[in-house]
Amino acid sequence: MDTFAARGYNNASLAEIAERAGLTQAGVLHYFRSKALLLTSVLELRDQRDIAQLGTRRPQGLEFLRHLVDTARRNAEREGIVRLYAVLSAESVTDAHPAQSYFRDRYSGLRAFVAEALTEACGLGEADARRVGAAANAIIAVMDGLQVQWLLDPDSVDMAASTDLVVTSLLAGLGSDAADRRLAP
Amino acid sequence: MDTFAARGYNNASLAEIAERAGLTQAGVLHYFRSKALLLTSVLELRDQRDIAQLGTRRPQGLEFLRHLVDTARRNAEREGIVRLYAVLSAESVTDAHPAQSYFRDRYSGLRAFVAEALTEACGLGEADARRVGAAANAIIAVMDGLQVQWLLDPDSVDMAASTDLVVTSLLAGLGSDAADRRLAP
DNA sequence: GTCTATAGCTCGATAGAC
DNA sequence: GTCTATCGAGCTATAGAC
């Protein structure tokens, strides 16, 4: 995990991973048939840990949105994991990347969760699906984008404060009838 | 540019770049001493083109924020450039990446521009610098994060709509006294 | 289950002919 | 200014000993 985070998938070598794990490069390939399979295994392991840590029930509505802001706050103490996802999610859009479908599916699921939480928190209906979807995508995007800025320059970026500000502002905008305040016609 | 965008820096080869440019790999290194220098040259060329296209004067205040939303809209027709920046900006946070200081400086400048535009558009003062900074970082972050989602799944992401929604909501929140609506204490 | 050895590539960079 | 040739290094994956 640390090696993929520090170097990205393409520039990481099995030799370095093996050394840090305390065996040889051939030893790594005994457990994982290929480098690509090792990457997807790492990502799935990461997911399983997160799910296990989340506990039995998933927070809903406003509580879920608070959970996102809290994640941004805790992430400032977990540089390794932040780096892993920031680097790999962007690298995954390159040609034939082994984690491409992983991230496609991940974003698809995240978008649905956030949109559901927004709908519930604001008491909206099917008629607002478009604006809710745009807001959900934006919340996920702001968290991802902040990570890259923060990794490059931690002192200039407060991930929790910016995430909180965006979620709060979007909630206020979605609640009221804000469709006529748009910047563009 | 296209090769770095499609493969990232590490996985791009001088041989492929040379072939697409119509000469040999040694020919490329005649003009650019190293692969790293070629990358930074590509990024600087990109910047010069954008500055030249922007014209003589830079929009200010609300007009600058409208320009950002408009950029998001135009970007949906420029997949190559979107991919170049999305891939390289995230890759730049890996160890010893040749574009690391380029992106650090770029974000530093962008943050200052957006913060200035927000301050002017809302008629705020030095006392609001913290919240304005958080909002500026968030606007840049949302644009970056949307690009990754959009590259993976264009039909599910409307970059212009989400950017517009965030900028509009943040402006409404910054204008009023919204500090007491925060999600976390 | 872990190792050594190596096959078979690809890569960036250099030297030097023309 | 562009080429061919090549060096030296790195890489993933496989074969097979122990």
mmCIF file with all atom_site columns, all heavy atoms in Angstrom, chain C residues 1-10:
data_model
loop_
_atom_site.group_PDB
_atom_site.id
_atom_site.type_symbol
_atom_site.label_atom_id
_atom_site.label_alt_id
_atom_site.label_comp_id
_atom_site.label_asym_id
_atom_site.label_entity_id
_atom_site.label_seq_id
_atom_site.pdbx_PDB_ins_code
_atom_site.Cartn_x
_atom_site.Cartn_y
_atom_site.Cartn_z
_atom_site.occupancy
_atom_site.B_iso_or_equiv
_atom_site.pdbx_formal_charge
_atom_site.auth_seq_id
_atom_site.auth_comp_id
_atom_site.auth_asym_id
_atom_site.auth_atom_id
_atom_site.pdbx_PDB_model_num
ATOM 1   P P     . DG C 1 1  ? 1.881  -22.704 1.902   1.00 0.00 ? 1  DG C P     1
ATOM 2   O OP1   . DG C 1 1  ? 0.959  -22.218 2.889   1.00 0.00 ? 1  DG C OP1   1
ATOM 3   O OP2   . DG C 1 1  ? 1.550  -22.997 0.541   1.00 0.00 ? 1  DG C OP2   1
ATOM 4   O "O5'" . DG C 1 1  ? 3.211  -21.809 1.916   1.00 0.00 ? 1  DG C "O5'" 1
ATOM 5   C "C5'" . DG C 1 1  ? 3.889  -21.660 3.146   1.00 0.00 ? 1  DG C "C5'" 1
ATOM 6   C "C4'" . DG C 1 1  ? 5.305  -21.286 2.858   1.00 0.00 ? 1  DG C "C4'" 1
ATOM 7   O "O4'" . DG C 1 1  ? 5.897  -22.256 1.959   1.00 0.00 ? 1  DG C "O4'" 1
ATOM 8   C "C3'" . DG C 1 1  ? 5.490  -19.914 2.186   1.00 0.00 ? 1  DG C "C3'" 1
ATOM 9   O "O3'" . DG C 1 1  ? 6.515  -19.247 2.906   1.00 0.00 ? 1  DG C "O3'" 1
ATOM 10  C "C2'" . DG C 1 1  ? 5.946  -20.251 0.772   1.00 0.00 ? 1  DG C "C2'" 1
ATOM 11  C "C1'" . DG C 1 1  ? 6.681  -21.561 1.012   1.00 0.00 ? 1  DG C "C1'" 1
ATOM 12  N N9    . DG C 1 1  ? 6.790  -22.447 -0.171  1.00 0.00 ? 1  DG C N9    1
ATOM 13  C C8    . DG C 1 1  ? 5.822  -22.780 -1.073  1.00 0.00 ? 1  DG C C8    1
ATOM 14  N N7    . DG C 1 1  ? 6.242  -23.608 -1.986  1.00 0.00 ? 1  DG C N7    1
ATOM 15  C C5    . DG C 1 1  ? 7.579  -23.826 -1.687  1.00 0.00 ? 1  DG C C5    1
ATOM 16  C C6    . DG C 1 1  ? 8.569  -24.629 -2.326  1.00 0.00 ? 1  DG C C6    1
ATOM 17  O O6    . DG C 1 1  ? 8.447  -25.341 -3.333  1.00 0.00 ? 1  DG C O6    1
ATOM 18  N N1    . DG C 1 1  ? 9.797  -24.566 -1.669  1.00 0.00 ? 1  DG C N1    1
ATOM 19  C C2    . DG C 1 1  ? 10.034 -23.821 -0.547  1.00 0.00 ? 1  DG C C2    1
ATOM 20  N N2    . DG C 1 1  ? 11.272 -23.879 -0.050  1.00 0.00 ? 1  DG C N2    1
ATOM 21  N N3    . DG C 1 1  ? 9.129  -23.071 0.065   1.00 0.00 ? 1  DG C N3    1
ATOM 22  C C4    . DG C 1 1  ? 7.926  -23.114 -0.563  1.00 0.00 ? 1  DG C C4    1
ATOM 23  P P     . DT C 1 2  ? 6.651  -17.709 2.891   1.00 0.00 ? 2  DT C P     1
ATOM 24  O OP1   . DT C 1 2  ? 6.787  -17.232 4.286   1.00 0.00 ? 2  DT C OP1   1
ATOM 25  O OP2   . DT C 1 2  ? 5.570  -17.182 2.038   1.00 0.00 ? 2  DT C OP2   1
ATOM 26  O "O5'" . DT C 1 2  ? 8.041  -17.485 2.172   1.00 0.00 ? 2  DT C "O5'" 1
ATOM 27  C "C5'" . DT C 1 2  ? 9.216  -17.963 2.798   1.00 0.00 ? 2  DT C "C5'" 1
ATOM 28  C "C4'" . DT C 1 2  ? 10.281 -18.240 1.764   1.00 0.00 ? 2  DT C "C4'" 1
ATOM 29  O "O4'" . DT C 1 2  ? 9.862  -19.287 0.864   1.00 0.00 ? 2  DT C "O4'" 1
ATOM 30  C "C3'" . DT C 1 2  ? 10.591 -17.061 0.820   1.00 0.00 ? 2  DT C "C3'" 1
ATOM 31  O "O3'" . DT C 1 2  ? 11.714 -16.339 1.315   1.00 0.00 ? 2  DT C "O3'" 1
ATOM 32  C "C2'" . DT C 1 2  ? 10.901 -17.751 -0.528  1.00 0.00 ? 2  DT C "C2'" 1
ATOM 33  C "C1'" . DT C 1 2  ? 10.742 -19.223 -0.231  1.00 0.00 ? 2  DT C "C1'" 1
ATOM 34  N N1    . DT C 1 2  ? 10.173 -19.997 -1.369  1.00 0.00 ? 2  DT C N1    1
ATOM 35  C C2    . DT C 1 2  ? 10.976 -20.878 -2.034  1.00 0.00 ? 2  DT C C2    1
ATOM 36  O O2    . DT C 1 2  ? 12.134 -21.089 -1.724  1.00 0.00 ? 2  DT C O2    1
ATOM 37  N N3    . DT C 1 2  ? 10.382 -21.533 -3.091  1.00 0.00 ? 2  DT C N3    1
ATOM 38  C C4    . DT C 1 2  ? 9.088  -21.376 -3.530  1.00 0.00 ? 2  DT C C4    1
ATOM 39  O O4    . DT C 1 2  ? 8.659  -22.014 -4.484  1.00 0.00 ? 2  DT C O4    1
ATOM 40  C C5    . DT C 1 2  ? 8.290  -20.435 -2.792  1.00 0.00 ? 2  DT C C5    1
ATOM 41  C C7    . DT C 1 2  ? 6.870  -20.177 -3.196  1.00 0.00 ? 2  DT C C7    1
ATOM 42  C C6    . DT C 1 2  ? 8.868  -19.785 -1.755  1.00 0.00 ? 2  DT C C6    1
ATOM 43  P P     . DC C 1 3  ? 12.397 -15.211 0.415   1.00 0.00 ? 3  DC C P     1
ATOM 44  O OP1   . DC C 1 3  ? 13.141 -14.337 1.358   1.00 0.00 ? 3  DC C OP1   1
ATOM 45  O OP2   . DC C 1 3  ? 11.368 -14.629 -0.464  1.00 0.00 ? 3  DC C OP2   1
ATOM 46  O "O5'" . DC C 1 3  ? 13.454 -15.998 -0.485  1.00 0.00 ? 3  DC C "O5'" 1
ATOM 47  C "C5'" . DC C 1 3  ? 14.508 -16.712 0.137   1.00 0.00 ? 3  DC C "C5'" 1
ATOM 48  C "C4'" . DC C 1 3  ? 15.168 -17.658 -0.853  1.00 0.00 ? 3  DC C "C4'" 1
ATOM 49  O "O4'" . DC C 1 3  ? 14.162 -18.537 -1.414  1.00 0.00 ? 3  DC C "O4'" 1
ATOM 50  C "C3'" . DC C 1 3  ? 15.794 -16.965 -2.056  1.00 0.00 ? 3  DC C "C3'" 1
ATOM 51  O "O3'" . DC C 1 3  ? 17.141 -16.613 -1.767  1.00 0.00 ? 3  DC C "O3'" 1
ATOM 52  C "C2'" . DC C 1 3  ? 15.723 -18.046 -3.136  1.00 0.00 ? 3  DC C "C2'" 1
ATOM 53  C "C1'" . DC C 1 3  ? 14.562 -18.951 -2.707  1.00 0.00 ? 3  DC C "C1'" 1
ATOM 54  N N1    . DC C 1 3  ? 13.370 -18.876 -3.609  1.00 0.00 ? 3  DC C N1    1
ATOM 55  C C2    . DC C 1 3  ? 13.295 -19.736 -4.707  1.00 0.00 ? 3  DC C C2    1
ATOM 56  O O2    . DC C 1 3  ? 14.229 -20.531 -4.915  1.00 0.00 ? 3  DC C O2    1
ATOM 57  N N3    . DC C 1 3  ? 12.212 -19.678 -5.531  1.00 0.00 ? 3  DC C N3    1
ATOM 58  C C4    . DC C 1 3  ? 11.223 -18.805 -5.266  1.00 0.00 ? 3  DC C C4    1
ATOM 59  N N4    . DC C 1 3  ? 10.178 -18.793 -6.085  1.00 0.00 ? 3  DC C N4    1
ATOM 60  C C5    . DC C 1 3  ? 11.285 -17.921 -4.157  1.00 0.00 ? 3  DC C C5    1
ATOM 61  C C6    . DC C 1 3  ? 12.364 -17.981 -3.368  1.00 0.00 ? 3  DC C C6    1
ATOM 62  P P     . DT C 1 4  ? 17.897 -15.624 -2.760  1.00 0.00 ? 4  DT C P     1
ATOM 63  O OP1   . DT C 1 4  ? 19.104 -15.139 -2.055  1.00 0.00 ? 4  DT C OP1   1
ATOM 64  O OP2   . DT C 1 4  ? 16.910 -14.657 -3.280  1.00 0.00 ? 4  DT C OP2   1
ATOM 65  O "O5'" . DT C 1 4  ? 18.331 -16.564 -3.964  1.00 0.00 ? 4  DT C "O5'" 1
ATOM 66  C "C5'" . DT C 1 4  ? 19.140 -17.724 -3.729  1.00 0.00 ? 4  DT C "C5'" 1
ATOM 67  C "C4'" . DT C 1 4  ? 19.469 -18.391 -5.057  1.00 0.00 ? 4  DT C "C4'" 1
ATOM 68  O "O4'" . DT C 1 4  ? 18.244 -18.837 -5.709  1.00 0.00 ? 4  DT C "O4'" 1
ATOM 69  C "C3'" . DT C 1 4  ? 20.167 -17.476 -6.071  1.00 0.00 ? 4  DT C "C3'" 1
ATOM 70  O "O3'" . DT C 1 4  ? 21.173 -18.222 -6.764  1.00 0.00 ? 4  DT C "O3'" 1
ATOM 71  C "C2'" . DT C 1 4  ? 19.047 -17.034 -6.999  1.00 0.00 ? 4  DT C "C2'" 1
ATOM 72  C "C1'" . DT C 1 4  ? 18.125 -18.251 -6.992  1.00 0.00 ? 4  DT C "C1'" 1
ATOM 73  N N1    . DT C 1 4  ? 16.684 -17.939 -7.207  1.00 0.00 ? 4  DT C N1    1
ATOM 74  C C2    . DT C 1 4  ? 15.987 -18.574 -8.203  1.00 0.00 ? 4  DT C C2    1
ATOM 75  O O2    . DT C 1 4  ? 16.484 -19.402 -8.938  1.00 0.00 ? 4  DT C O2    1
ATOM 76  N N3    . DT C 1 4  ? 14.668 -18.208 -8.299  1.00 0.00 ? 4  DT C N3    1
ATOM 77  C C4    . DT C 1 4  ? 13.995 -17.293 -7.508  1.00 0.00 ? 4  DT C C4    1
ATOM 78  O O4    . DT C 1 4  ? 12.804 -17.049 -7.687  1.00 0.00 ? 4  DT C O4    1
ATOM 79  C C5    . DT C 1 4  ? 14.784 -16.665 -6.488  1.00 0.00 ? 4  DT C C5    1
ATOM 80  C C7    . DT C 1 4  ? 14.155 -15.647 -5.582  1.00 0.00 ? 4  DT C C7    1
ATOM 81  C C6    . DT C 1 4  ? 16.077 -17.007 -6.380  1.00 0.00 ? 4  DT C C6    1
ATOM 82  P P     . DA C 1 5  ? 22.181 -17.496 -7.772  1.00 0.00 ? 5  DA C P     1
ATOM 83  O OP1   . DA C 1 5  ? 23.473 -18.207 -7.712  1.00 0.00 ? 5  DA C OP1   1
ATOM 84  O OP2   . DA C 1 5  ? 22.118 -16.050 -7.530  1.00 0.00 ? 5  DA C OP2   1
ATOM 85  O "O5'" . DA C 1 5  ? 21.522 -17.794 -9.200  1.00 0.00 ? 5  DA C "O5'" 1
ATOM 86  C "C5'" . DA C 1 5  ? 20.910 -19.055 -9.438  1.00 0.00 ? 5  DA C "C5'" 1
ATOM 87  C "C4'" . DA C 1 5  ? 20.292 -19.062 -10.837 1.00 0.00 ? 5  DA C "C4'" 1
ATOM 88  O "O4'" . DA C 1 5  ? 18.884 -18.731 -10.755 1.00 0.00 ? 5  DA C "O4'" 1
ATOM 89  C "C3'" . DA C 1 5  ? 20.920 -18.050 -11.800 1.00 0.00 ? 5  DA C "C3'" 1
ATOM 90  O "O3'" . DA C 1 5  ? 21.155 -18.684 -13.051 1.00 0.00 ? 5  DA C "O3'" 1
ATOM 91  C "C2'" . DA C 1 5  ? 19.894 -16.932 -11.883 1.00 0.00 ? 5  DA C "C2'" 1
ATOM 92  C "C1'" . DA C 1 5  ? 18.592 -17.703 -11.676 1.00 0.00 ? 5  DA C "C1'" 1
ATOM 93  N N9    . DA C 1 5  ? 17.506 -16.890 -11.123 1.00 0.00 ? 5  DA C N9    1
ATOM 94  C C8    . DA C 1 5  ? 17.582 -15.978 -10.104 1.00 0.00 ? 5  DA C C8    1
ATOM 95  N N7    . DA C 1 5  ? 16.443 -15.398 -9.815  1.00 0.00 ? 5  DA C N7    1
ATOM 96  C C5    . DA C 1 5  ? 15.532 -15.974 -10.703 1.00 0.00 ? 5  DA C C5    1
ATOM 97  C C6    . DA C 1 5  ? 14.160 -15.802 -10.902 1.00 0.00 ? 5  DA C C6    1
ATOM 98  N N6    . DA C 1 5  ? 13.417 -14.953 -10.204 1.00 0.00 ? 5  DA C N6    1
ATOM 99  N N1    . DA C 1 5  ? 13.573 -16.549 -11.877 1.00 0.00 ? 5  DA C N1    1
ATOM 100 C C2    . DA C 1 5  ? 14.329 -17.401 -12.577 1.00 0.00 ? 5  DA C C2    1
ATOM 101 N N3    . DA C 1 5  ? 15.631 -17.653 -12.470 1.00 0.00 ? 5  DA C N3    1
ATOM 102 C C4    . DA C 1 5  ? 16.176 -16.900 -11.506 1.00 0.00 ? 5  DA C C4    1
ATOM 103 P P     . DT C 1 6  ? 21.981 -17.918 -14.216 1.00 0.00 ? 6  DT C P     1
ATOM 104 O OP1   . DT C 1 6  ? 22.946 -18.878 -14.778 1.00 0.00 ? 6  DT C OP1   1
ATOM 105 O OP2   . DT C 1 6  ? 22.447 -16.610 -13.702 1.00 0.00 ? 6  DT C OP2   1
ATOM 106 O "O5'" . DT C 1 6  ? 20.846 -17.663 -15.286 1.00 0.00 ? 6  DT C "O5'" 1
ATOM 107 C "C5'" . DT C 1 6  ? 19.765 -18.603 -15.400 1.00 0.00 ? 6  DT C "C5'" 1
ATOM 108 C "C4'" . DT C 1 6  ? 18.605 -17.950 -16.117 1.00 0.00 ? 6  DT C "C4'" 1
ATOM 109 O "O4'" . DT C 1 6  ? 17.711 -17.274 -15.182 1.00 0.00 ? 6  DT C "O4'" 1
ATOM 110 C "C3'" . DT C 1 6  ? 19.008 -16.866 -17.139 1.00 0.00 ? 6  DT C "C3'" 1
ATOM 111 O "O3'" . DT C 1 6  ? 18.251 -17.041 -18.301 1.00 0.00 ? 6  DT C "O3'" 1
ATOM 112 C "C2'" . DT C 1 6  ? 18.624 -15.586 -16.437 1.00 0.00 ? 6  DT C "C2'" 1
ATOM 113 C "C1'" . DT C 1 6  ? 17.322 -16.063 -15.788 1.00 0.00 ? 6  DT C "C1'" 1
ATOM 114 N N1    . DT C 1 6  ? 16.737 -15.152 -14.776 1.00 0.00 ? 6  DT C N1    1
ATOM 115 C C2    . DT C 1 6  ? 15.365 -14.974 -14.763 1.00 0.00 ? 6  DT C C2    1
ATOM 116 O O2    . DT C 1 6  ? 14.610 -15.561 -15.515 1.00 0.00 ? 6  DT C O2    1
ATOM 117 N N3    . DT C 1 6  ? 14.915 -14.106 -13.810 1.00 0.00 ? 6  DT C N3    1
ATOM 118 C C4    . DT C 1 6  ? 15.683 -13.394 -12.900 1.00 0.00 ? 6  DT C C4    1
ATOM 119 O O4    . DT C 1 6  ? 15.168 -12.638 -12.097 1.00 0.00 ? 6  DT C O4    1
ATOM 120 C C5    . DT C 1 6  ? 17.109 -13.614 -12.979 1.00 0.00 ? 6  DT C C5    1
ATOM 121 C C7    . DT C 1 6  ? 18.023 -12.889 -12.043 1.00 0.00 ? 6  DT C C7    1
ATOM 122 C C6    . DT C 1 6  ? 17.561 -14.464 -13.902 1.00 0.00 ? 6  DT C C6    1
ATOM 123 P P     . DA C 1 7  ? 18.904 -17.026 -19.745 1.00 0.00 ? 7  DA C P     1
ATOM 124 O OP1   . DA C 1 7  ? 19.743 -18.217 -19.903 1.00 0.00 ? 7  DA C OP1   1
ATOM 125 O OP2   . DA C 1 7  ? 19.496 -15.692 -19.952 1.00 0.00 ? 7  DA C OP2   1
ATOM 126 O "O5'" . DA C 1 7  ? 17.638 -17.167 -20.683 1.00 0.00 ? 7  DA C "O5'" 1
ATOM 127 C "C5'" . DA C 1 7  ? 16.577 -18.032 -20.289 1.00 0.00 ? 7  DA C "C5'" 1
ATOM 128 C "C4'" . DA C 1 7  ? 15.236 -17.338 -20.463 1.00 0.00 ? 7  DA C "C4'" 1
ATOM 129 O "O4'" . DA C 1 7  ? 14.990 -16.454 -19.338 1.00 0.00 ? 7  DA C "O4'" 1
ATOM 130 C "C3'" . DA C 1 7  ? 15.139 -16.473 -21.725 1.00 0.00 ? 7  DA C "C3'" 1
ATOM 131 O "O3'" . DA C 1 7  ? 13.906 -16.762 -22.363 1.00 0.00 ? 7  DA C "O3'" 1
ATOM 132 C "C2'" . DA C 1 7  ? 15.176 -15.047 -21.193 1.00 0.00 ? 7  DA C "C2'" 1
ATOM 133 C "C1'" . DA C 1 7  ? 14.516 -15.207 -19.837 1.00 0.00 ? 7  DA C "C1'" 1
ATOM 134 N N9    . DA C 1 7  ? 14.875 -14.189 -18.844 1.00 0.00 ? 7  DA C N9    1
ATOM 135 C C8    . DA C 1 7  ? 16.125 -13.894 -18.371 1.00 0.00 ? 7  DA C C8    1
ATOM 136 N N7    . DA C 1 7  ? 16.136 -12.955 -17.458 1.00 0.00 ? 7  DA C N7    1
ATOM 137 C C5    . DA C 1 7  ? 14.820 -12.602 -17.310 1.00 0.00 ? 7  DA C C5    1
ATOM 138 C C6    . DA C 1 7  ? 14.179 -11.662 -16.495 1.00 0.00 ? 7  DA C C6    1
ATOM 139 N N6    . DA C 1 7  ? 14.817 -10.880 -15.640 1.00 0.00 ? 7  DA C N6    1
ATOM 140 N N1    . DA C 1 7  ? 12.830 -11.557 -16.598 1.00 0.00 ? 7  DA C N1    1
ATOM 141 C C2    . DA C 1 7  ? 12.189 -12.350 -17.469 1.00 0.00 ? 7  DA C C2    1
ATOM 142 N N3    . DA C 1 7  ? 12.686 -13.282 -18.286 1.00 0.00 ? 7  DA C N3    1
ATOM 143 C C4    . DA C 1 7  ? 14.021 -13.356 -18.157 1.00 0.00 ? 7  DA C C4    1
ATOM 144 P P     . DG C 1 8  ? 13.743 -16.507 -23.927 1.00 0.00 ? 8  DG C P     1
ATOM 145 O OP1   . DG C 1 8  ? 12.820 -17.525 -24.466 1.00 0.00 ? 8  DG C OP1   1
ATOM 146 O OP2   . DG C 1 8  ? 15.106 -16.339 -24.469 1.00 0.00 ? 8  DG C OP2   1
ATOM 147 O "O5'" . DG C 1 8  ? 13.005 -15.102 -23.980 1.00 0.00 ? 8  DG C "O5'" 1
ATOM 148 C "C5'" . DG C 1 8  ? 11.862 -14.882 -23.160 1.00 0.00 ? 8  DG C "C5'" 1
ATOM 149 C "C4'" . DG C 1 8  ? 11.580 -13.407 -23.127 1.00 0.00 ? 8  DG C "C4'" 1
ATOM 150 O "O4'" . DG C 1 8  ? 12.269 -12.807 -21.996 1.00 0.00 ? 8  DG C "O4'" 1
ATOM 151 C "C3'" . DG C 1 8  ? 12.066 -12.647 -24.376 1.00 0.00 ? 8  DG C "C3'" 1
ATOM 152 O "O3'" . DG C 1 8  ? 11.024 -11.803 -24.826 1.00 0.00 ? 8  DG C "O3'" 1
ATOM 153 C "C2'" . DG C 1 8  ? 13.256 -11.841 -23.847 1.00 0.00 ? 8  DG C "C2'" 1
ATOM 154 C "C1'" . DG C 1 8  ? 12.794 -11.567 -22.426 1.00 0.00 ? 8  DG C "C1'" 1
ATOM 155 N N9    . DG C 1 8  ? 13.827 -11.136 -21.497 1.00 0.00 ? 8  DG C N9    1
ATOM 156 C C8    . DG C 1 8  ? 15.170 -11.449 -21.526 1.00 0.00 ? 8  DG C C8    1
ATOM 157 N N7    . DG C 1 8  ? 15.839 -10.891 -20.554 1.00 0.00 ? 8  DG C N7    1
ATOM 158 C C5    . DG C 1 8  ? 14.890 -10.175 -19.837 1.00 0.00 ? 8  DG C C5    1
ATOM 159 C C6    . DG C 1 8  ? 15.008 -9.362  -18.680 1.00 0.00 ? 8  DG C C6    1
ATOM 160 O O6    . DG C 1 8  ? 16.032 -9.121  -18.030 1.00 0.00 ? 8  DG C O6    1
ATOM 161 N N1    . DG C 1 8  ? 13.786 -8.818  -18.298 1.00 0.00 ? 8  DG C N1    1
ATOM 162 C C2    . DG C 1 8  ? 12.599 -9.021  -18.948 1.00 0.00 ? 8  DG C C2    1
ATOM 163 N N2    . DG C 1 8  ? 11.525 -8.417  -18.439 1.00 0.00 ? 8  DG C N2    1
ATOM 164 N N3    . DG C 1 8  ? 12.464 -9.778  -20.032 1.00 0.00 ? 8  DG C N3    1
ATOM 165 C C4    . DG C 1 8  ? 13.641 -10.318 -20.408 1.00 0.00 ? 8  DG C C4    1
ATOM 166 P P     . DC C 1 9  ? 11.008 -11.305 -26.364 1.00 0.00 ? 9  DC C P     1
ATOM 167 O OP1   . DC C 1 9  ? 9.827  -11.878 -27.002 1.00 0.00 ? 9  DC C OP1   1
ATOM 168 O OP2   . DC C 1 9  ? 12.369 -11.517 -26.938 1.00 0.00 ? 9  DC C OP2   1
ATOM 169 O "O5'" . DC C 1 9  ? 10.790 -9.755  -26.258 1.00 0.00 ? 9  DC C "O5'" 1
ATOM 170 C "C5'" . DC C 1 9  ? 11.510 -9.006  -25.317 1.00 0.00 ? 9  DC C "C5'" 1
ATOM 171 C "C4'" . DC C 1 9  ? 10.594 -8.217  -24.423 1.00 0.00 ? 9  DC C "C4'" 1
ATOM 172 O "O4'" . DC C 1 9  ? 11.090 -8.363  -23.085 1.00 0.00 ? 9  DC C "O4'" 1
ATOM 173 C "C3'" . DC C 1 9  ? 10.600 -6.747  -24.789 1.00 0.00 ? 9  DC C "C3'" 1
ATOM 174 O "O3'" . DC C 1 9  ? 9.282  -6.294  -25.053 1.00 0.00 ? 9  DC C "O3'" 1
ATOM 175 C "C2'" . DC C 1 9  ? 11.241 -6.041  -23.601 1.00 0.00 ? 9  DC C "C2'" 1
ATOM 176 C "C1'" . DC C 1 9  ? 11.525 -7.118  -22.568 1.00 0.00 ? 9  DC C "C1'" 1
ATOM 177 N N1    . DC C 1 9  ? 12.968 -7.212  -22.206 1.00 0.00 ? 9  DC C N1    1
ATOM 178 C C2    . DC C 1 9  ? 13.434 -6.493  -21.096 1.00 0.00 ? 9  DC C C2    1
ATOM 179 O O2    . DC C 1 9  ? 12.615 -5.801  -20.482 1.00 0.00 ? 9  DC C O2    1
ATOM 180 N N3    . DC C 1 9  ? 14.736 -6.549  -20.757 1.00 0.00 ? 9  DC C N3    1
ATOM 181 C C4    . DC C 1 9  ? 15.581 -7.307  -21.463 1.00 0.00 ? 9  DC C C4    1
ATOM 182 N N4    . DC C 1 9  ? 16.861 -7.352  -21.078 1.00 0.00 ? 9  DC C N4    1
ATOM 183 C C5    . DC C 1 9  ? 15.137 -8.060  -22.600 1.00 0.00 ? 9  DC C C5    1
ATOM 184 C C6    . DC C 1 9  ? 13.834 -7.983  -22.944 1.00 0.00 ? 9  DC C C6    1
ATOM 185 P P     . DT C 1 10 ? 9.096  -5.031  -25.998 1.00 0.00 ? 10 DT C P     1
ATOM 186 O OP1   . DT C 1 10 ? 7.674  -4.958  -26.350 1.00 0.00 ? 10 DT C OP1   1
ATOM 187 O OP2   . DT C 1 10 ? 10.145 -5.076  -27.041 1.00 0.00 ? 10 DT C OP2   1
ATOM 188 O "O5'" . DT C 1 10 ? 9.445  -3.828  -25.017 1.00 0.00 ? 10 DT C "O5'" 1
ATOM 189 C "C5'" . DT C 1 10 ? 8.706  -3.669  -23.806 1.00 0.00 ? 10 DT C "C5'" 1
ATOM 190 C "C4'" . DT C 1 10 ? 9.337  -2.575  -22.978 1.00 0.00 ? 10 DT C "C4'" 1
ATOM 191 O "O4'" . DT C 1 10 ? 10.598 -3.037  -22.444 1.00 0.00 ? 10 DT C "O4'" 1
ATOM 192 C "C3'" . DT C 1 10 ? 9.643  -1.307  -23.781 1.00 0.00 ? 10 DT C "C3'" 1
ATOM 193 O "O3'" . DT C 1 10 ? 8.948  -0.214  -23.209 1.00 0.00 ? 10 DT C "O3'" 1
ATOM 194 C "C2'" . DT C 1 10 ? 11.151 -1.144  -23.678 1.00 0.00 ? 10 DT C "C2'" 1
ATOM 195 C "C1'" . DT C 1 10 ? 11.509 -1.967  -22.439 1.00 0.00 ? 10 DT C "C1'" 1
ATOM 196 N N1    . DT C 1 10 ? 12.879 -2.541  -22.470 1.00 0.00 ? 10 DT C N1    1
ATOM 197 C C2    . DT C 1 10 ? 13.769 -2.242  -21.464 1.00 0.00 ? 10 DT C C2    1
ATOM 198 O O2    . DT C 1 10 ? 13.493 -1.516  -20.533 1.00 0.00 ? 10 DT C O2    1
ATOM 199 N N3    . DT C 1 10 ? 14.998 -2.834  -21.586 1.00 0.00 ? 10 DT C N3    1
ATOM 200 C C4    . DT C 1 10 ? 15.424 -3.671  -22.605 1.00 0.00 ? 10 DT C C4    1
ATOM 201 O O4    . DT C 1 10 ? 16.551 -4.140  -22.608 1.00 0.00 ? 10 DT C O4    1
ATOM 202 C C5    . DT C 1 10 ? 14.449 -3.941  -23.636 1.00 0.00 ? 10 DT C C5    1
ATOM 203 C C7    . DT C 1 10 ? 14.800 -4.817  -24.778 1.00 0.00 ? 10 DT C C7    1
ATOM 204 C C6    . DT C 1 10 ? 13.236 -3.368  -23.521 1.00 0.00 ? 10 DT C C6    1
#
